[in-house]
Structure formats: C-alpha cells, structure tokens
Amino acid sequence: MRSLLCAAGAAGILLFAAAGPVAADDGGDGFTITDPRIKESSGLAASRKHPGVYWTHNDSDDGPYVYAVDSRTGRTVATVTLRGIGDPRDVEAISVGPDGNVYVGDIGDNLGGTWNHVWIYRFPEPERLRDQTVTAAQLTVKYDEGPRDAEAMMVHPKTGRVYIASKKKSGGAALYEGPERLSSRGTNTFRRIAAIDQWVTDGAFSPDGTRLVLRGYFGAEMYRWQGGRPKGIGSVGVPLQMQGESVSFTPDGRTLMFGSEGKSSRVQPVGLSGDQLPETAAKNPDGKAGDKGGTDDRNQDGPGKNRNVLLAAVTFGVGAVVVLGLRRLFRRR
C-alpha cells in the first residue's frame, strides 16, 4: 500500500506542476523541515512553552528521538532522546497535554492490527530547547475491541484525556477514549466512543478544546467537541502532499498545519473560517481568519476544495495505473 501511495504522490507532483500554482492559504507561508535525519515526519504538535516551535518525530526505525523544529527557519533546535522505554516499534503521533507533558504515540501496527498492545510515552516538555536526554514514562495501551492499527493520538487541552483514532475505514475506523488518567502501572484500556468514516493518519484538538480535526491522505474532517463526543461539521481542504501524515492547530487556533513524510518535507498552512473556527478564535474579531460568520471557499465546498479533490482523485488513479503496469511488466520478465 505504501508503494502505491508513493507512486500516486509522485504522479501528483507532476499533475500539480502542470495545473499551475494554487493560491496560498491563510496562516502564513508554512515551513520546510531541513533536518536530514527527519525523513518520515509522522506527527506534529505545537509547543506550549516555546512559541513558533513544533514537535515532530520519525515513523519507524529511528529510535527514541523527538525533534523540536523552529517554524521560522525549519531547523531543528533540540533533539530529545527518551530514556527508560523499550525499542519503539511504529511511532505515529505526538501531542502536548495541559499537564505540561509531551505524549508520543507508538500506536502504529505494520502487521495490520495484530499487536497485543501498543505504547504511549510521556515526558515533561523541556524548559530549555537544547539536545538532551529525558526519562519518559511508558504507558501500555489496549483497546476494548481488540488490536487496532492507528496513527492518530490526541490529548484534550482542557481535560488532559487521551484519544486514539484507528486508521482503516474498511475495518471500521473509530475514535477511542482512554481512562480519565493514564497509569504507568498495568494496562490502560481505550474504549470506542464514536465511528469515524475516514482513513485517519493524524488528528489534533484545537487549543481551546472545542474542535477536533482528523486528517487522511487526501482530506480532513472537522468536528465540534461537545460533551466529550465529536459532532461532524464539514470537510477541510488539504494540501496535495506526497504522503500526508500529520496535522496540528497553530496556538491561536485559526490555522491548521499539515505535514508530510519525506526528506525536506513541507509543512503547509490552511486557514479556518466559519463554524470550523474554534470558539475562542471565532470570538476574537482581530484574528486574521475572520469572525464567526465568515466563509472561505477553500475550506468549505467551493472551487478550492473541488479542485483539491479532483487532483487527489486523478493522482491516485494515475499512481494505481503506474503500479499495476510495473507489476505486469515484472511478471512478463
């Protein structure tokens, strides 16, 4: 599946270039991750202590490392090595909680959802940005419905409760809620609370906790968070990326930052408006993305979104044709 997506992404770059540039999204110009060690950025989270800094990590086969990237330069300003945990298997998500801790989700399952358990690592967000080694808690996680493949883990910014969204739509993707407080002793059972009609690769809560976004490779859905449950309020336009794996709200809640795997990967902003704005941001009339009643066709159902969807569909189709053609060629040989 990964090879198919990569082929589709490569074809998409050619189609994107041929179609011409798309108007820049609100929320700044984004940034490029310049660190050559970060080849598979699979999660993204805005720092609570260091303005302009985003935490990220590689997918699998990297080790117990988390990187702090300065969004103004794209450079890594700190590498944090986690001590006191085992060998990470498939790290897919990262989030910063209201308790001052960074949560790292070693929740992927390259075997299709067969691991008996997965892990979450938790460590205090550093006061100073420098290379350092920290002791992390290793939290064991299971699901009430049995093993699941997942790539999205979110910590609610007000309650501190941890949520995981399973990945495969065909396998009944769902949102799972962890215990009120995670324990480093014993097993933390996550219970299903809502079905998710999407192939989820990452997610994030807004800073005020009133919105939840879940993204896939070619699209994203925004939810209003009410009474501890998600209520769908519409799609969000997603930039065309090689392999879209991460998303984070900016600290003001007005913009989504979308990331991708690959060397020198680009983190791209998409401004929010209308009902998709978190409540705190919507009440602030001085914000760049407009007030609560504003609209933005790029993030709703207007031409911008339709264009993205069309490009994504054509890209995936061309990629599939390329892969099938290569398979037939190799069979003949």
Side-chain angles (χ1 to χ4, degrees), residues 305-318:
K305 184 192 170 188
N306 292 337
R307 186 172 184 273
N308 281 343
V309 171
L310 178 60
L311 281 171
V314 174
T315 294
F316 195 84
V318 172

Side-chain angles (χ1 to χ4, degrees), residues 44-170:
L44 195 69
S47 169
R48 281 178 167 251
K49 292 186 176 181
H50 308 286
V53 168
Y54 287 83
W55 293 101
T56 190
H57 54 82
N58 280 312
D59 196 334
S60 52
D61 302 324
D62 181 42
Y65 308 115
V66 178
Y67 306 93
V69 178
D70 187 342
S71 64
R72 289 158 291 201
T73 64
R75 296 177 180 175
T76 298
V77 291
T79 300
V80 177
T81 302
L82 305 186
R83 175 179 55 204
I85 65 173
D87 293 329
R89 286 189 300 213
D90 191 1
V91 180
E92 292 287 356
I94 190 166
S95 186
V96 182
D99 57 358
N101 286 314
V102 177
Y103 291 72
V104 180
D106 190 356
I107 57 175
D109 192 335
N110 289 327
L111 298 180
T114 58
W115 292 123
N116 181 48
H117 63 274
V118 293
W119 298 299
I120 293 174
Y121 311 125
R122 182 179 63 197
F123 66 93
E125 184 172 19
E127 297 288 342
R128 294 179 55 197
L129 291 177
R130 56 182 175 79
D131 292 351
Q132 56 195 286
T133 298
V134 302
T135 299
Q138 180 166 318
L139 314 171
T140 300
V141 169
K142 290 186 177 182
Y143 303 95
D144 62 343
E145 297 180 324
R148 291 291 183 272
D149 184 18
E151 295 189 5
M153 179 205 68
M154 302 74 60
V155 182
H156 194 276
K158 300 301 181 182
T159 66
R161 202 154 195 162
V162 182
Y163 297 83
I164 295 175
S166 59
K167 182 178 180 181
K168 294 185 179 180
K169 179 178 178 179
S170 59

Side-chain angles (χ1 to χ4, degrees), residues 276-299:
Q276 294 185 346
L277 272 173
E279 292 177 8
T280 300
K283 292 177 181 178
N284 180 8
D286 299 326
K288 193 173 161 185
D291 58 20
K292 188 173 182 179
T295 59
D296 186 338
D297 285 343
R298 288 170 303 187
N299 301 325

